[in-house]
Amino acid sequence: MTSDSEVEPEPREAPGGAPFWIGAVVGIGIMAYGVKGLLDAAPSTQPNQVGVSLLGLDLLHDAIVAPIVCLVGVLLARLLPRRVRGPVRAGLFASAIVILVGWAALRGYGHDQVPDNPTVDPLNYGTAVLTVLAVVWAGVVIWAIAASWLGRRAERPEGRGARGR
């Protein structure tokens, strides 16, 4: 029982509601379809190699990528003002996605198998990825400036700096 001055916290919803179970069923179905396709085309997909690669990537993520991401997060929390943390985190996340998506093209995978086919790697992917990253970080700078400006404006006392009406 609480007094009038105390506020009782709202009960938290237990995890595992309908959205979770719908997502789980759909996700398991998609994964099962992918595994079936992998096994049906076993001579060309080499399921053993895929399994070794997945295990290696999982270990790489858990042993190297995740600790680095955590360390960067701690450093950002200590070094950046609170108002710009969100934009910088979003910029880092978007940059990681851009590099991940562009990785194969940046490395030129597939070009060695058909070097006489100019349509395999027809563009300068290094320039393209750098251009996208420049746009992402320009957006981060604009967002951070706006967040800082709006934050300072909200902190300003009403009497100081406000125009008379």
Side-chain angles (χ1 to χ4, degrees), residues 60-82:
L60 174 74
H61 174 270
D62 292 352
I64 296 173
V65 175
I68 289 172
V69 168
C70 290
L71 180 63
V72 168
V74 168
L75 290 174
L76 289 177
R78 291 187 180 183
L79 298 175
L80 294 176
R82 183 175 303 274

Side-chain angles (χ1 to χ4, degrees), residues 3-153:
S3 68
D4 290 338
S5 62
E6 295 178 22
V7 176
E8 188 172 319
E10 291 191 27
R12 297 181 79 185
E13 188 176 320
F20 169 81
W21 290 111
I22 292 169
V25 168
V26 170
I28 289 170
I30 291 170
M31 288 188 295
Y33 179 77
V35 169
K36 181 186 179 314
L38 178 75
L39 296 175
D40 286 349
S44 59
T45 58
Q46 302 172 354
N48 290 340
Q49 284 293 90
V50 172
V52 169
S53 296
L54 286 175
L55 181 62
L57 288 171
D58 188 39
L59 291 173
L60 174 74
H61 174 270
D62 292 352
I64 296 173
V65 175
I68 289 172
V69 168
C70 290
L71 180 63
V72 168
V74 168
L75 290 174
L76 289 177
R78 291 187 180 183
L79 298 175
L80 294 176
R82 183 175 303 274
R83 290 187 191 117
V84 298
R85 287 182 198 159
V88 171
R89 284 188 301 215
L92 288 171
F93 182 74
S95 297
I97 297 298
V98 167
I99 291 169
L100 214 66
V101 168
W103 186 256
L106 287 170
R107 300 288 299 157
Y109 295 147
H111 189 70
D112 294 339
Q113 282 72 27
V114 283
D116 57 336
N117 185 348
T119 63
V120 172
D121 286 329
L123 304 174
N124 183 343
Y125 295 104
T127 302
V129 168
L130 288 175
T131 302
V132 173
L133 290 174
V135 170
V136 165
W137 284 98
V140 167
V141 168
I142 292 167
W143 183 7
I145 289 170
S148 293
W149 182 74
L150 290 172
R152 282 194 200 111
R153 191 167 176 215

